[in-house]
Structures are given as C-alpha cells and as structure tokens.
Amino acid sequence: GSESLISTFSISCCLGNIGNIYYQLEQNTQAYLYYKKAIIVAKESGNQNYLANALINMGGIHFKTQEYDSALFYFYAAEKILIENNILFSLGATYNNIGKTLTAKNEYAKAIEYYKKGVEYRIKFEDEYGMAQSNLNIGMLYVIQKDYKRALEHFKRSEPVFLKNHAFTWLKDCYCEMATASELSGDLNTAIAYYKLWSNYKDSVYNKESYEQSLALSTKYETEKKEQQITILNKEKLLQTAELNKQKNIIWTVVGGLFLMTLIVVFILRLLRLSNRQKEYLATIKELEHQN
C-alpha cells in the first residue's frame, strides 16, 4: 500500500543521491550503475518526477564521459516526461543540459535555441541563479561565434547573481570569459581588469574545492551507510514477501484440510445411510419370513 510506495520513492531518491556522490568523486562507473538502478526503481514506483530526475542524472554521466548522443537521448526523454506531466520547473535545467550537449557537438545555433528556452522557463519560475548559469553558457557560445559584444551582455547579467550568491566557481569562469571576450574585441584595459578579478576568485575557488574534496571523502562513510540501508530495505521486502507466501501456504493447507475432512464426513454419512437402509431391508425380509 502507501508504505511500500513511500519506501520505493525513498529507495529511488537514495540511489540517485549515491550516484551523485560517485559522480562528484569522479567514479563514473559506480555513478552510472546507481543512476541505472534509480531509473528502474522510479519506473516501478510510477513517480514521473523521480523518473525525470533519474533520466537527467543518467544524461549527465553520459555527457561527462563524452557520449553526447546517449546524453541527448536521456535529456530528451526527461523533457518529454516533464512536459507530459506538467512538471515545468525542471525544464529550465533540462534545456540548459541539452544546450551544453549540443555545444559539445558543435551544433551552436541549436544550442543557443535550447539555452534561450531554458532562460524563458527560469524567468517564469524566478530562478535567478539558473538564469545566470544559462546566460553564462549563452555568452560562451557567442564568444565561439566571435560575437563579443553580445557575449559580454550575457556575462554581465550573470556576474552580479554569482557575486550575490557567493558562487565563486561560476564567478571565476564568468570573469575568465569576460576577460577573453574583452581581449578578443580589442579592449585590453578591460580585459586586464577582468583577468585580475579572475585571479582573485581563483584562490577562493581553490579553497572551496579543497573543502569540497574533504567533504567528499567524509561522505564516503555516508554512502556506504546508505548502501547498507538499501540492502536492509531490500532484505526486509524479501522477508515480508516470504512471510506472506508462508501465510498463504498455511491458509491453503487449512482450507485443503477442511475440504478433505468435509469429503470424509460426507462419505461416512452416506455409508451410514446405506447401512441403515440395508438393516431396514433385512428386517423387512425377516418379518416376511416370520409371517410365512
């Protein structure tokens, strides 16, 4: 019933989180295996939101291993589920992922189209941080296309959001792209200023990355713990199934025994009736003989 459904949702979520940890630890094979399990469990649960997230995670691991066509397959599958089930909030991130993948395939015009679709949904849901990421990606595409003015317009939309949210990794990348666009457009003084900002935040990012590495190592224990929890949950399910089967067998045995006993009683009653009839018949014959 509802308890087993909640348990299935929890397992799917757990599997996805374990996959994310392995993804961060650069253990791609393990991440792939857990994302695959998460997809299977999400399909069994029937929860379309979990299934879409599981598909997006799987697309992400394929993108990381440069299997771009496979990545697009999973991203498009997630997009279809999100639209069909009206789960529109996640579409912004999905379109951003599709844009990144198309960029890696050098399909720039199509990539910009998806990035802009992503921005539209992020504006709709007031996802300021998501908009900043999309604008950064759009700007990087314009740099590739040598449209430096338009690229800088998008970078300048991203910069204050990253700064406000202390997103130093993104801010570092943003300043690097701004410096590159300024340099290639011939504005060397502005390029130097951005390169200085990039250098300042590079140190902050290094410290943050060191912290994240320590955090990743400390989560290994939590990962193993979650794996054990999933194993225990699966064992409990098996035990519950075995117990149910055992109870069913007992019930059928009792029912079968009662049915057999009923047959025996019916048979005995018939024998008794037959015996009584035979006795009555013999008594009648004896009476007739006596009269004769």
Side-chain angles (χ1 to χ4, degrees), residues 67-113:
E67 298 168 291
Y68 301 126
D69 289 332
S70 295
L72 285 172
F73 170 82
Y74 285 105
F75 290 144
Y76 287 139
E79 177 199 11
K80 185 181 177 184
I81 289 169
L82 293 170
I83 291 171
E84 285 177 354
N85 293 276
N86 204 36
I87 310 169
L88 304 181
F89 178 78
S90 298
L91 272 175
T94 306
Y95 285 139
N96 195 55
N97 287 330
I98 292 171
K100 279 170 63 179
T101 312
L102 290 169
T103 301
K105 287 176 59 103
N106 300 324
E107 297 179 26
Y108 302 134
K110 202 172 175 183
I112 285 178
E113 179 188 329

Side-chain angles (χ1 to χ4, degrees), residues 161-172:
V161 178
F162 293 144
L163 197 58
K164 184 177 79 174
N165 290 279
H166 304 288
F168 298 139
T169 302
W170 290 101
L171 191 60
K172 172 185 72 74

Side-chain angles (χ1 to χ4, degrees), residues 232-283:
I232 290 165
L233 281 169
N234 287 330
K235 281 181 179 177
E236 283 177 355
K237 276 190 170 182
L238 289 171
L239 287 170
Q240 285 173 0
T241 305
E243 186 63 30
L244 282 171
N245 289 334
K246 186 179 175 182
Q247 287 174 3
K248 283 178 184 177
N249 290 335
I250 290 167
I251 290 166
W252 281 114
T253 303
V254 171
V255 170
L258 288 171
F259 180 71
L260 186 61
M261 284 176 69
T262 304
L263 286 176
I264 292 167
V265 168
V266 170
F267 180 70
I268 290 168
L269 288 171
R270 283 186 178 179
L271 282 175
L272 287 171
R273 282 178 188 171
L274 184 61
S275 177
N276 289 332
R277 283 177 186 174
Q278 285 175 344
K279 284 176 182 177
E280 287 172 4
Y281 177 71
L282 289 170

Side-chain angles (χ1 to χ4, degrees), residues 168-169 198-210:
F168 298 139
T169 302
W198 168 77
S199 180
N200 291 339
Y201 282 100
K202 187 177 70 171
D203 295 334
S204 299
V205 170
Y206 173 77
N207 293 332
K208 187 184 175 186
E209 285 175 350
S210 298

Side-chain angles (χ1 to χ4, degrees), residues 49-65:
N49 192 19
Y50 280 158
L51 179 56
N53 286 334
L55 290 167
I56 290 166
N57 285 336
M58 183 62 90
I61 198 69
H62 281 291
F63 176 83
K64 194 176 184 181
T65 54

